[in-house]
Amino acid sequence: MSTVKSALRAAKAALDAHQYGSAIENANKALKEDPKNYHANVFLGLAFEKQNQHEDAEKSYRAATLLKGSDPLAWQGLISLYEQQGGQKLGEYHDATSHLASAFIAVDDKTRCQTVVDKYTDFARKCGTRAQYRHSLEILLPGSELYDYLEGRILHPAYTYTKIAELLELDEKEKINYEIGQRRTRLGAKIDQVTADVKREVLQASDLETIYQCIVDWTEDDATRRLYEERILQRAYDTLVVIPPALKPKKRDQVLRLAQGLVILKHPFNLAWRLSLEWKDVDRIEDLDAGLLREYVGFFAEDGLAKVLRGYLDSEISAFPTHTPEDDHDDDDDVRGKKSVAMTAEDRLILMTDGIEDSPASVLALRIMAEYYLYLEEYESAVETARKAQRELAISSRASGLSFTNVLDAVSISLGTAMIHYQAPRHHPEATSLFEGILARRKSNSAALIGIGLILEEREELEDAISFLERALEQAPSTKVKAEAAWCKALSGDYETGVSELEECLSQLDTADSGTKTLKAQILYRIGMCLWNLDTSKSSRKDRNRAYARFISSLQADMNYAPAYTSLGIYYTDYARDKARARKCFQKAFELSSSEVVAAERLAQSFAKTREWDLVEVVAQRVVESGKLRPPPGSKKQGISWPFAALGVVQLNIQDYSKSVVSFQSALRISPKDYYSWVGLGESYHNSGRYIAATRAFEQAQKLEAELGPEVLGDTWFSKYMLANVERELGEFGAAIAGYKEVLALRKREYGVSIASLQTLIEAAWQDIELGFFGRAIDNVQEALKTAEDLVTWRKEAFNLWKSIGDLCSVYTYLQSYSAQFPFQSLVGLLKHDFDLEAYGLLADVDHLDWAAFASSAASHNPDALLGPCCHAAILAQKRAISCCVDDAHARAVAWYNLGWTEHRAHVCLIADGDRDNPMSYLKSSIQCFKRAIELESGNSEFWNSLGIVTAQLNPKVAQHAFVRSLFINNKNARTWTNLGVFYLVEGDTQLASDAFTRAQSIDPEHALAWLGQGLLAAQLGESSDARNLFAHGFEIASASATQIQRSYACSVLDHLLASPGIPSSATDLLRPALALRQLSKQSLADLPFEHIDDLLRERMGIYAEASEKLSTICSTLEAEYETSESVETLARFANAKADLSRSLLAEGNFELAAENAETALDLSVDDDFSNMRKRTRLSAQISGGLSHHHLGLFDRSTEAFKGALEESQENPDIVCLLSQVLWAKGGEAERNIASQQLFNCIEKHPSHAHTMLLLGTISLLHDDQDTIQAVSDDLRGLRTRDDLTHQQQKQLAQLLSAIAILYPDEKGQTLARTSEVTTAVMLGPSHPYGWSQLSGITDEPCPPEMAILTAIREAPPRGALTAEDLSEVYAQSHRGEDAQRSIMLAPWKPSGWHALSQLA
């Protein structure tokens, strides 16, 4: 024991000396001797604490407390230790404080006990969290040992509870915000649902409501008690809103109990009073406690619901007794509202409206306002307010768990009643469903019965309406309902009963009651209508003592009753003949009510007659917005379509076509058989460019014409006219012209139709020119002339007439081959008709063309050469068009533009036709015209483009400026870019030209002239292949009137054919350029070079007769031209034409004429004056002459001709072959030897010439020259590997080698040798048909004929150049009947097909 004590003393001394290591050592010694020594553990814990060994210190202190728990020393050590660690050990600190306080309680030391508690709570407040601080305060709450011991020395429980409540509020707020922030980012999360879920979780787990109740229980301050009673109610209500439905009844009872308690205490907490009012499920508002309503108004005078209640209690619809100022003195002192002051109706409505804005979620306020709007007949506002009430009631029902059936029915009745009148009958189906739902629950609800009855009345289901109204009368007798039932009887045709019952209702009205004035006016009006329909005679309706008197009395009862004004307007219009009064009545009726559709229709008709379209639009739009046009589904009532049709007409007049389409469509949905709406819809589609839809609309209108007949519709020509216009826009000119003729048969002199017919005929002619139907174009022009001759007799001043006549004349300038058919005398008569001929002198000083000049040319014109008169007549017609549009600046600009192009066309045509008298006069006049057009309309890009075209030759700078200006105005015009490219091409700037053409192609890839320009540019740069492809593409997409493309394309194809050896591989290579030149010949008479090219192409195509005929004509023309001009160039062209004619006649078989023309060509080409053409002309003539003499049997002359050809061609191998063939055909041994020698010499000079080797092999075979055959066989076999052989040469080679194998077999024998040659040919050329064809001839196998046919089909055009005859032969060798028939079909003139068929028969 002494050892323990000495160790303790040493430990104590060490602690005092701050020698904590020694203290630990001594304390451990003491504990070793006495493990249960209290002080040793305390000293050890203190030493560890000083050395910051907190865990060891805590273990030591804990060991000490276990040994002596009532001793405060160890607990004080623990508290000190925990304080050093901040807020980390506050839980243990709380436990230690409790034990230490209990120790002090045990020794009755209140001071030290309070000090410990205060120190702990203050430390928890400073260092702990809110939860830890709240936990520290709990030791001071009633029910704890400390509270009972220290009561009076510590904080009052109310304060403690309040502090805890504040801490809990902060914690809950933070938790709610944090959880919402975390959960709202989840996929599919909705903020409203997330908020509700979080609040439900937090509020259900919270004790805050209990804390509030404790504050109420312990506080001694009434204000604080009321405050926390409010918070309890608010807390309970918030919880009720978010908890599941199963838990709501219990919580709702609590909320109602709390709210009623506050109301009983008359505590002004708005939520409590609102819940007491809003949660009462009353059928009528008057079932509420009037005192409660007035107290609410007194307490919450500035609240929105209070404002509504105040207005309601003071209104005419209130069922509560009026609150007088004296009643204010009897009120409780706590309820001091504002003194009742009488309000006007306007002030009341403003007050209630402000209240609704302040309390938009109050179901009671919305319900009251809906009923008040119904009373004021503000049905739109009533509908809107009742819908809001339904939405808020659903929200309130979900929040409280109450059904509010009575309130819902009352709101539904208000909504349904308002829907009966608002935009009737648009909302009738919805109103009916509302009323039917109410009647399903409450069969005797009079308001629902009346509502359905009124809806049925509107639907004209009058018997059912009477039944419902009478049922309502049985439940609640009402003069208004009785009058409505009587009116239904009258509408059903029983006017007498209706009058008697309406008179009875009128007698029951209280005339002193100002509230019945509208009902009285309505009854009087309806009595008047019954009398109006009871006797429909004119005398009865004019009687001012019958219906008229009732209408007047109705207005006397209520000056704002609109239907009476409508009826009076009808009376004044139809019977009193007082249009001024009638219009005033209709205007007044429509001003009062947009539902007065009859008055609106009469007004719209009167405004339309005076063309006041803006007023028509206002009237129609207001009727549309009234919602009375479309009947509800299932209604017998007809819809009203005229307002939509009227809007469509107005929008047509202001050119708002998209809206007019919608308007007419709306009209047709209501009245599908409205003929005029179909016509209006078609016109709208036409004007907006939707021509297919317009066609359908007009076709539907014409179907209605057939159904309804003219006696119903009246004049229907306009639809036919518009349909013709649509077909004209679609390019269906034939149908359009037929349509115009049909209209003109009904209306002889309708200018719009006549001029449209004339213009369509001209447009059809231009289209025919583009399509290549030139004869049909002339027919259309001639018919247009007849129309113009009729028009000029009664509408000679029309600009479009003379513009069309000018176009009519211009058509002949584009179809010059038809110029002989130009109706010259008819045009002279038209131009002279009733006009000052001096006016034709416009620009005569420039173009030298006035009436005198025209008349002189008319007197001396050649009937076969009318191109000049065509141009002159077109110019004069355009000049007269200018005189017809003096007052229209735009028309004048267009007229000058038209004249400019006509002058330019005259310049182009007459210069080409040889008019050298005034070579530039028309061009200069054209420039003047375009300048004047630009002066009148400088913003027109086409005018500038035209000026650039006509000035390009005379003034390039002006032309460039004009093109650039045109593109500045409209840079999306492909034609202008193309013209600019041509301008740069002419000026030599190839890069800018290429850029301009490329831009034109990108804007419009179908613009053919841009491709022509690119082709010309490529040709100028030497890229002939690219140029030819560009010309071909341009020709494919161009119209038949594009003569520039036709010329360029034909020339490029001919140049390619001349530059390429052999026969063209495809017939289309010749057909398309031949078509181009054929079209060109119809449009231009002066193009002899291109006619010559056309003949050359015909010759190559095998059309020899036409080629010979045309070439003879060309020769005659050139001969006449040479006799006039004696030009060396003309002579050269004449000789060339004679050589070509000789060749064509040779091919035709006319050998004598061929020889004669060849001699002529040779005689004309003796001189060297035209050395460039001499060689080709003479060579062609010599070959043609040589072959002609050969066929005539004149072998010597033929030989001489070929010798001359050899000299001209410098021994061309083809000429050598021809000469050898002629010498061989002559038959002499010497000649044949010479022929063979010529061929041998040719092979030495031209070893690769295939035709020479083939000919030499053939001659050797015929001459039985084995040495030569042996020498040439190897060369012939080598030819089979060459790719440059034509199909004909391949065929000849195969036949020749096969013949050699048969006649001169090797050691294998004749059959094997022939088979070997044929199979070798197949192996070397498996894609060629000739080897397979030969193989099929020597074998019975089925495969070779099939392969021959397959390869032949692949070689046929357009993939190859195999002829029809060759293909026919291949089919004939297949030994099958169907192939023999195909052979005959391909070439019926070939005997092989017929022979094959006969063998199979």
Side-chain angles (χ1 to χ4, degrees):
M1 180 65 74
S2 60
T3 304
V4 172
K5 289 183 178 180
S6 61
L8 289 174
R9 283 195 295 270
K12 179 71 171 63
L15 287 172
D16 292 339
H18 304 292
Q19 296 175 356
Y20 304 117
S22 177
I24 292 171
E25 182 180 352
N26 288 303
N28 284 327
K29 286 182 182 180
L31 288 173
K32 187 175 181 181
E33 296 292 333
D34 185 7
K36 295 185 178 180
N37 191 290
Y38 174 78
H39 290 94
N41 281 296
V42 172
F43 290 159
L44 182 60
L46 181 60
F48 280 134
E49 178 184 350
K50 294 299 183 180
Q51 287 190 336
N52 293 325
Q53 298 180 28
H54 296 149
E55 291 185 3
D56 294 336
E58 185 176 3
K59 289 179 181 178
S60 299
Y61 284 140
R62 286 291 180 187
T65 59
L66 292 175
L67 295 173
K68 197 181 285 188
S70 59
D71 191 278
L73 185 61
W75 294 110
Q76 287 174 340
L78 279 173
I79 289 173
S80 174
L81 178 65
Y82 291 147
E83 286 180 348
Q84 291 179 25
Q85 298 181 54
Q88 295 180 10
K89 296 286 187 176
L90 265 175
E92 291 81 353
Y93 193 171
H94 179 87
D95 182 62
T97 301
S98 299
H99 284 84
L100 182 60
S102 298
F104 288 141
I105 291 173
V107 297
D108 194 20
D109 190 346
K110 292 186 177 181
T111 301
R112 295 178 70 185
C113 180
Q114 181 180 355
T115 301
V116 170
V117 171
D118 290 344
K119 183 179 179 182
Y120 165 59
T121 55
D122 187 57
F123 182 80
R125 178 180 60 81
K126 292 179 180 178
C127 299
T129 63
R130 280 195 292 267
Q132 292 171 332
Y133 179 44
R134 186 175 71 248
H135 185 53
S136 71
L137 292 175
E138 289 177 356
I139 64 175
L140 303 178
L141 294 177
S144 67
E145 182 183 10
L146 284 174
Y147 178 78
D148 294 337
Y149 180 70
L150 297 176
E151 185 177 5
R153 299 177 69 93
I154 59 176
L155 294 174
H156 190 276
Y159 176 81
T160 305
Y161 278 120
T162 301
K163 195 66 178 175
I164 292 173
E166 291 174 354
L167 295 172
L168 271 173
E169 288 171 356
L170 291 173
D171 284 342
E172 287 184 4
K173 184 176 180 181
E174 284 187 1
K175 185 175 182 181
I176 289 171
N177 291 337
Y178 174 77
E179 290 295 332
I180 291 174
Q182 289 293 314
R183 299 185 190 184
R184 68 184 299 178
T185 59
R186 296 175 182 173
L187 290 176
K190 297 180 180 179
I191 185 63
D192 295 339
Q193 186 62 41
V194 168
T195 303
D197 292 343
V198 172
K199 284 187 175 181
R200 179 171 60 253
E201 293 171 8
V202 173
L203 294 179
Q204 283 186 301
S206 173
D207 296 329
L208 189 57
E209 193 173 328
T210 304
I211 301 297
Y212 285 159
Q213 186 61 50
C214 292
I215 296 173
V216 171
D217 294 341
W218 283 96
T219 187
E220 297 174 355
D221 181 28
D222 288 342
T224 303
R225 182 178 292 108
R226 297 292 175 263
L227 173 63
Y228 281 93
E229 285 176 346
E230 292 176 6
R231 292 189 180 182
I232 293 172
L233 175 58
Q234 186 67 55
R235 180 78 174 187
Y237 177 75
D238 292 342
T239 306
L240 174 65
V241 170
V242 297
I243 62 176
L247 303 178
K248 285 184 183 290
K250 182 178 179 180
K251 198 68 178 178
R252 182 175 64 246
D253 293 341
Q254 178 192 357
V255 171
L256 285 173
R257 185 178 65 254
L258 292 170
Q260 289 169 358
L262 290 174
V263 171
I264 291 171
L265 293 174
K266 297 187 178 179
H267 177 65
F269 181 50
N270 190 277
L271 177 61
W273 288 82
R274 273 183 177 265
L275 293 177
S276 298
L277 292 174
E278 301 272 4
W279 283 10
K280 290 187 181 298
D281 188 18
V282 295
D283 190 22
R284 300 174 300 170
I285 296 176
E286 50 263 33
D287 294 338
L288 294 171
D289 184 356
L292 190 64
L293 297 178
R294 290 196 173 94
E295 287 175 351
Y296 184 87
V297 173
F299 280 124
F300 311 103
E302 299 302 320
D303 180 70
L305 176 59
K307 293 178 181 179
V308 174
L309 288 173
R310 184 183 173 197
Y312 168 74
L313 293 171
D314 194 41
S315 68
E316 302 87 340
I317 65 171
S318 174
F320 299 113
T322 306
H323 188 65
T324 60
E326 290 78 9
D327 296 335
D328 290 326
H329 299 291
D330 300 331
D331 290 340
D332 192 278
D333 291 338
D334 292 337
V335 184
R336 296 300 179 188
K338 293 184 178 180
K339 301 292 182 180
S340 298
V341 179
M343 289 186 292
T344 63
E346 292 79 8
D347 293 339
R348 184 184 306 114
L349 182 59
I350 292 172
L351 178 67
M352 296 175 75
T353 305
D354 291 342
I356 282 293
E357 292 177 357
D358 294 341
S359 297
S362 172
V363 176
L364 180 59
L366 291 168
R367 177 182 176 183
I368 291 172
M369 281 304 299
E371 294 185 6
Y372 191 62
Y373 282 136
L374 270 179
Y375 169 75
L376 298 176
E377 297 183 357
E378 293 290 338
Y379 299 116
E380 181 178 2
S381 299
V383 169
E384 182 181 349
T385 306
R387 288 193 189 280
K388 289 181 181 177
Q390 283 185 328
R391 290 194 293 270
E392 296 301 330
L393 189 60
I395 295 172
S396 180
S397 179
R398 287 195 299 271
S400 64
L402 295 171
S403 60
F404 297 112
T405 305
N406 294 329
V407 177
L408 179 60
D409 287 347
V411 171
S412 298
I413 287 172
S414 298
L415 177 60
T417 305
M419 284 180 172
I420 294 173
H421 305 283
Y422 174 56
Q423 292 186 347
R426 177 179 177 182
H427 302 289
H428 284 184
E430 185 179 355
T432 302
S433 66
L434 289 174
F435 291 136
E436 288 175 349
I438 294 170
L439 290 174
R441 295 187 296 273
R442 305 165 65 182
K443 295 183 179 180
S444 60
N445 189 287
S446 60
L449 291 169
I450 294 169
I452 292 180
L454 294 175
I455 291 172
L456 291 171
E457 177 187 342
E458 182 70 24
R459 291 183 182 180
E460 297 183 359
E461 300 177 18
L462 300 173
E463 293 183 2
D464 294 338
I466 293 170
S467 174
F468 274 93
L469 292 173
E470 288 179 347
R471 284 172 58 189
L473 282 172
E474 292 173 2
Q475 298 298 326
S478 169
T479 303
K480 184 175 183 180
V481 177
K482 184 177 181 181
E484 205 66 46
W487 178 239
C488 288
K489 293 176 182 178
L491 291 176
S492 63
D494 191 358
Y495 296 112
E496 293 181 356
T497 303
V499 169
S500 62
E501 292 186 2
L502 287 170
E503 293 283 3
E504 183 181 348
C505 292
L506 184 63
S507 64
Q508 294 174 359
L509 291 178
D510 183 3
T511 56
D513 186 3
S514 60
T516 63
K517 65 177 185 177
T518 302
L519 179 59
K520 181 179 179 181
Q522 184 187 64
I523 293 173
L524 286 168
Y525 161 74
R526 290 177 173 178
I527 292 172
M529 289 304 299
C530 289
L531 295 174
W532 183 270
N533 292 315
L534 195 59
D535 186 356
T536 58
S537 64
K538 186 174 182 179
S539 59
S540 175
R541 290 188 170 181
K542 288 183 68 174
D543 189 354
R544 289 178 174 262
N545 295 321
R546 287 176 59 81
Y548 175 80
R550 301 306 192 281
F551 298 148
I552 295 295
S553 299
S554 174
L555 292 177
Q556 289 172 350
D558 185 359
M559 291 297 295
N560 294 323
Y561 190 67
Y565 284 107
T566 301
S567 298
L568 279 176
I570 295 173
Y571 172 83
Y572 286 128
T573 301
D574 298 342
Y575 298 98
R577 304 298 181 188
D578 191 342
K579 293 184 179 180
R581 284 188 177 182
R583 187 165 183 171
K584 290 179 181 179
C585 288
F586 290 138
Q587 286 179 339
K588 183 66 175 178
F590 192 60
E591 287 173 5
L592 292 172
S593 174
S594 60
S595 299
E596 292 302 309
V597 180
V598 176
E601 184 176 10
R602 298 281 185 127
L603 274 178
Q605 289 173 351
S606 65
F607 290 143
K609 289 178 181 178
T610 57
R611 305 188 70 79
E612 298 175 80
W613 300 113
D614 53 341
L615 297 178
V616 174
E617 182 180 14
V618 169
V619 171
Q621 188 62 45
R622 191 177 174 205
V623 176
V624 169
E625 292 172 355
S626 71
K628 288 188 170 294
L629 302 184
R630 293 185 176 89
S635 174
K636 296 180 181 179
K637 192 173 182 179
Q638 295 295 322
I640 302 170
S641 62
W642 70 261
F644 287 111
L647 280 176
V649 172
V650 172
Q651 289 152 358
L652 266 179
N653 278 279
I654 62 176
Q655 300 180 0
D656 194 348
Y657 303 121
S658 59
K659 289 184 178 179
S660 67
V661 167
V662 174
S663 297
F664 284 121
Q665 285 176 338
S666 300
L668 289 168
R669 289 190 190 100
I670 298 172
S671 300
K673 292 193 175 183
D674 185 354
Y675 169 78
Y676 294 103
S677 291
W678 281 110
V679 174
L681 179 62
E683 187 175 359
S684 301
Y685 278 138
H686 168 267
N687 293 339
S688 58
R690 299 165 65 181
Y691 301 119
I692 301 300
T695 302
R696 293 173 182 167
F698 287 124
E699 287 174 351
Q700 184 64 33
Q702 291 188 342
K703 289 181 182 178
L704 291 176
E705 289 177 14
E707 291 180 15
L708 302 177
E711 60 277 1
V712 176
L713 299 176
D715 207 348
T716 58
W717 66 272
F718 185 73
S719 65
K720 297 180 177 62
Y721 167 66
M722 287 303 300
L723 180 58
N725 284 343
V726 172
E727 289 166 337
R728 173 186 174 184
E729 294 291 346
L730 290 172
E732 300 292 337
F733 296 117
I737 292 167
Y740 291 135
K741 287 181 178 179
E742 185 179 356
V743 176
L744 289 172
L746 300 173
R747 298 176 70 88
K748 297 294 184 184
R749 290 194 170 185
E750 185 68 41
Y751 168 71
V753 182
S754 297
I755 199 66
S757 176
L758 174 61
Q759 291 173 326
T760 305
L761 286 165
I762 301 299
E763 290 170 6
W766 288 121
Q767 185 190 60
D768 291 336
I769 292 174
E770 292 181 355
L771 296 176
F773 300 119
F774 303 135
R776 195 166 69 185
I778 294 300
D779 293 340
N780 285 325
V781 167
Q782 291 175 349
E783 188 174 352
L785 179 61
K786 295 177 183 177
T787 305
E789 288 174 340
D790 176 64
L791 258 172
V792 79
T793 59
W794 53 277
R795 198 65 177 266
K796 65 180 184 302
E797 72 284 356
F799 162 73
N800 286 327
L801 167 63
W802 295 105
K803 188 263 182 187
S804 299
I805 292 174
D807 292 343
L808 180 153
C809 298
S810 296
V811 168
Y812 285 95
T813 68
Y814 285 90
L815 299 176
Q816 297 177 10
S817 63
Y818 295 90
S819 61
Q821 301 179 27
F822 180 65
F824 184 76
Q825 296 302 327
S826 299
L827 264 299
V828 171
L830 280 175
L831 294 170
K832 286 175 61 177
H833 181 78
D834 195 14
F835 186 67
D836 182 10
L837 301 181
E838 296 295 329
Y840 287 125
L842 185 68
L843 294 181
D845 55 335
V846 182
D847 62 7
H848 308 295
L849 180 63
D850 54 12
W851 182 256
F854 180 69
S856 63
S857 66
S860 60
H861 77 276
N862 182 358
D864 297 327
L866 290 175
L867 185 58
C870 290
C871 297
H872 297 159
I875 292 172
L876 293 183
Q878 298 294 357
K879 287 182 177 181
R880 185 160 180 178
I882 293 175
S883 66
C884 294
C885 54
V886 178
D887 299 327
D888 189 341
H890 175 69
R892 274 191 295 133
V894 173
W896 280 109
Y897 173 76
N898 294 335
L899 178 59
W901 275 120
T902 307
E903 297 271 11
H904 181 264
R905 183 62 186 171
H907 167 75
V908 172
C909 294
L910 298 181
I911 288 295
D913 197 40
D915 184 3
R916 308 298 180 188
D917 296 336
N918 300 304
M920 304 302 291
S921 60
Y922 298 113
L923 184 62
K924 293 178 180 178
S925 178
S926 176
I927 294 172
Q928 294 297 320
C929 293
F930 288 130
K931 286 182 177 179
R932 294 199 184 184
I934 291 171
E935 290 173 0
L936 293 168
E937 195 172 318
S938 60
N940 193 311
S941 63
E942 292 294 336
F943 294 176
W944 287 101
N945 178 41
S946 304
L947 180 62
I949 293 172
V950 298
T951 56
Q953 181 178 357
L954 298 178
N955 195 332
K957 291 184 178 179
V958 172
Q960 184 180 21
H961 170 74
F963 287 134
V964 172
R965 182 65 181 173
S966 176
L967 291 173
F968 174 78
I969 298 171
N970 179 16
N971 63 353
K972 299 295 184 182
N973 192 325
R975 294 190 304 276
T976 308
W977 282 107
T978 302
N979 294 334
L980 182 60
V982 173
F983 172 79
Y984 285 137
L985 186 61
V986 171
E987 294 299 317
D989 195 332
T990 56
Q991 182 58 48
L992 288 178
S994 177
D995 294 342
F997 290 137
T998 303
R999 184 67 179 272
Q1001 289 167 337
S1002 65
I1003 293 172
D1004 183 7
E1006 298 298 318
H1007 186 56
L1009 294 180
W1011 296 95
L1012 170 65
Q1014 287 281 29
L1016 293 173
L1017 180 60
Q1020 183 172 324
L1021 296 175
E1023 300 170 356
S1024 58
S1025 177
D1026 292 342
R1028 186 176 66 258
N1029 292 333
L1030 290 167
F1031 291 145
H1033 180 68
F1035 177 72
E1036 288 174 357
I1037 64 176
S1039 64
S1041 61
T1043 56
Q1044 306 96 322
I1045 296 179
Q1046 293 164 353
R1047 293 186 178 99
S1048 300
Y1049 175 56
C1051 287
S1052 67
V1053 171
L1054 184 63
D1055 291 341
H1056 174 66
L1057 294 176
L1058 294 175
S1060 303
I1063 302 172
S1065 60
S1066 174
T1068 56
D1069 292 338
L1070 299 177
L1071 287 174
R1072 290 193 294 177
L1075 174 62
L1077 292 170
R1078 183 71 59 89
Q1079 292 173 344
L1080 180 62
S1081 66
K1082 296 290 185 180
Q1083 299 177 72
S1084 178
L1085 293 176
D1087 279 348
L1088 278 179
F1090 290 96
E1091 290 185 14
H1092 196 167
I1093 293 174
D1094 185 22
D1095 295 329
L1096 295 178
L1097 292 177
R1098 292 177 196 230
E1099 179 188 352
R1100 282 179 173 262
M1101 294 169 63
I1103 311 175
Y1104 303 119
E1106 290 187 14
S1108 300
E1109 182 182 354
K1110 291 291 184 181
L1111 283 169
S1112 298
T1113 305
I1114 292 174
C1115 289
S1116 301
T1117 304
L1118 289 173
E1119 185 177 6
E1121 183 179 342
Y1122 176 72
E1123 290 176 355
T1124 304
S1125 63
E1126 295 185 357
S1127 168
V1128 176
E1129 180 183 355
T1130 304
L1131 181 60
R1133 291 168 59 196
F1134 178 51
N1136 190 26
K1138 279 291 185 179
D1140 292 339
L1141 177 59
S1142 173
R1143 188 173 60 253
S1144 181
L1145 289 169
L1146 171 65
E1148 189 180 355
N1150 195 340
F1151 305 121
E1152 294 182 0
L1153 285 177
E1156 180 183 341
N1157 282 281
E1159 293 294 338
T1160 303
L1162 290 172
D1163 292 341
L1164 293 174
S1165 59
V1166 172
D1167 298 332
D1168 293 335
D1169 294 337
F1170 48 98
S1171 56
N1172 292 333
M1173 296 179 62
R1174 176 180 178 278
K1175 181 179 179 180
R1176 181 170 293 181
T1177 300
R1178 290 185 62 81
L1179 181 60
S1180 175
Q1182 286 166 342
I1183 294 173
S1184 300
L1187 290 174
S1188 299
H1189 292 310
H1190 169 73
H1191 285 290
L1192 291 172
L1194 304 175
F1195 297 107
D1196 293 335
R1197 297 187 65 181
S1198 175
T1199 304
E1200 291 298 324
F1202 283 120
K1203 288 181 179 179
L1206 277 176
E1207 294 177 2
E1208 293 285 347
S1209 65
Q1210 298 178 354
E1211 297 187 0
N1212 183 283
D1214 291 324
I1215 305 299
V1216 172
C1217 289
L1218 285 174
L1219 177 59
S1220 299
Q1221 286 176 294
V1222 171
L1223 289 173
W1224 180 267
K1226 189 174 182 181
E1229 188 66 26
E1231 287 81 358
R1232 292 185 176 183
N1233 291 332
I1234 293 173
S1236 299
Q1237 187 61 41
Q1238 288 286 341
L1239 291 174
F1240 276 117
N1241 294 337
C1242 183
I1243 288 176
E1244 290 179 1
K1245 295 179 181 179
H1246 306 282
S1248 62
H1249 193 257
H1251 187 55
T1252 305
M1253 285 189 284
L1254 286 170
L1255 185 59
L1256 181 59
T1258 303
I1259 290 175
S1260 300
L1261 191 65
L1262 293 174
H1263 198 250
D1264 195 18
D1265 187 352
Q1266 295 187 23
D1267 295 335
T1268 304
I1269 290 173
Q1270 187 175 3
V1272 83
S1273 294
D1274 293 337
D1275 292 334
L1276 289 174
R1277 291 188 180 93
L1279 284 178
R1280 292 186 297 192
T1281 61
R1282 288 172 52 177
D1283 296 329
D1284 58 343
L1285 298 183
T1286 66
H1287 287 284
Q1288 190 68 22
Q1289 289 174 335
Q1290 290 173 356
K1291 181 179 179 181
Q1292 292 171 354
L1293 178 61
Q1295 291 173 342
L1296 180 59
L1297 288 173
S1298 179
I1300 292 173
I1302 294 172
L1303 295 176
Y1304 303 102
D1306 55 12
E1307 64 276 2
K1308 297 178 183 178
Q1310 186 182 70
T1311 304
L1312 290 177
R1314 182 184 180 190
T1315 304
S1316 176
E1317 288 294 338
V1318 172
T1319 54
T1320 302
V1322 170
M1323 181 189 68
L1324 292 175
S1327 62
H1328 299 309
Y1330 306 112
W1332 292 105
S1333 181
Q1334 285 184 312
L1335 185 60
S1336 66
I1338 63 175
T1339 181
D1340 295 330
E1341 294 292 330
C1343 292
E1346 292 181 6
M1347 288 302 300
I1349 292 173
L1350 289 175
T1351 53
I1353 291 173
R1354 290 195 187 97
E1355 292 294 323
R1359 289 174 290 185
L1362 193 70
T1363 64
E1365 295 180 352
D1366 293 335
L1367 185 58
S1368 173
E1369 288 185 5
V1370 173
Y1371 272 115
Q1373 294 175 4
S1374 70
H1375 311 298
R1376 291 187 299 191
E1378 60 270 22
D1379 289 336
Q1381 292 174 339
R1382 291 189 180 96
S1383 174
I1384 294 171
M1385 180 193 69
L1386 288 169
W1389 60 88
K1390 293 283 290 183
S1392 56
W1394 296 102
H1395 178 72
L1397 187 62
S1398 65
Q1399 292 293 325
L1400 296 170

